[in-house]
Amino acid sequence: MKKTQKMEDLTAGIILDEYESLYRMAYTYVRNESDAMDIVQESAYKAITKCQTVKPRYLKTWIYRITINTAIDLIRKNKKEVIGIEDYEYGAEDSYQDFDTLDALNVLSPREKQVIVLRFFEDMKLAEIAEILNENLNSVKSVLYRSLKKLKTELTEGEEHYEQ
């Protein structure tokens, strides 16, 4: 078997193993089932066609990076479109059902959102996140704690009204 074919097979295997996580991550960005599926499919295509350029040990984190970038590209492309509330789609079948938490993610910058999604939604270790985002581990830790503080503020903002 040729080296190219081995890399394509390895890449396809990782994509299949990580498909649900990649989908959930894409969904947190676009909040639309069909767009999230398109992102994962486009990312898989990009990964399989370019996998020869990556060392095998970096494939998984590289695929996550492609998926994040593809989601961000789609958001930028569609930014000029105005979405009405009737077009805003919550995935009935999706495993992220806490919409207050999903809405709270909107207070985060894209970088902060990436760290939170990878850490808590995809249960990745901080070292993996640093590798995916190509950042220093201490930077990722700082972003994580700053993001958690923002989320806590956002999620507890209205609670004092209910306690009275």
Side-chain angles (χ1 to χ4, degrees), residues 2-159:
K2 289 196 270 179
K3 183 180 177 184
T4 302
Q5 186 61 48
K6 279 185 179 180
M7 284 299 288
E8 288 175 3
D9 291 347
L10 182 59
T11 303
I14 292 170
I15 291 167
L16 289 174
D17 290 345
E18 300 293 321
Y19 188 86
E20 287 181 35
S21 292
L22 294 168
Y23 168 79
R24 285 192 309 266
M25 188 175 59
Y27 184 83
T28 61
Y29 281 90
V30 295
R31 309 271 293 268
N32 177 297
E33 288 180 30
S34 62
D35 285 346
M37 287 173 37
D38 289 346
I39 288 167
V40 175
Q41 289 173 351
E42 184 176 336
S43 300
Y45 173 77
K46 289 176 183 177
I48 290 171
T49 58
K50 304 274 192 224
C51 64
Q52 310 75 261
T53 64
V54 179
K55 292 181 181 176
R57 69 181 226 211
Y58 298 120
L59 271 174
K60 181 179 172 183
T61 55
W62 180 70
I63 292 167
Y64 273 91
R65 185 74 243 165
I66 290 172
T67 306
I68 289 169
N69 289 340
T70 304
I72 291 170
D73 288 347
L74 180 71
I75 291 168
R76 285 182 185 142
K77 181 179 142 194
N78 293 336
K79 199 164 189 133
K80 294 179 183 175
E81 294 179 22
V82 176
I83 299 176
I85 192 70
E86 65 279 356
D87 296 328
Y88 196 75
E89 195 176 312
Y90 285 110
E93 301 291 320
D94 198 86
S95 61
Y96 291 165
Q97 294 297 323
D98 188 350
F99 296 119
D100 288 340
T101 304
L102 284 175
D103 287 339
L105 289 176
N106 291 331
V107 302
L108 303 177
S109 73
R111 180 176 174 219
E112 293 168 335
K113 187 187 287 190
Q114 290 171 349
V115 172
I116 292 293
V117 167
L118 292 172
R119 176 66 187 101
F120 295 105
F121 291 54
E122 300 308 326
D123 201 29
M124 290 187 174
K125 292 179 173 34
L126 292 175
E128 284 180 294
I129 296 167
E131 193 174 328
I132 288 171
L133 300 178
N134 196 28
E135 291 193 23
N136 178 300
L137 178 61
N138 289 330
S139 297
V140 171
K141 287 179 183 178
S142 295
V143 170
L144 175 65
Y145 297 121
R146 183 175 57 243
S147 304
L148 288 173
K149 192 173 180 178
K150 276 186 181 179
L151 285 173
K152 181 179 179 184
T153 302
E154 179 69 16
L155 290 170
T156 59
E157 204 167 64
E159 287 183 5

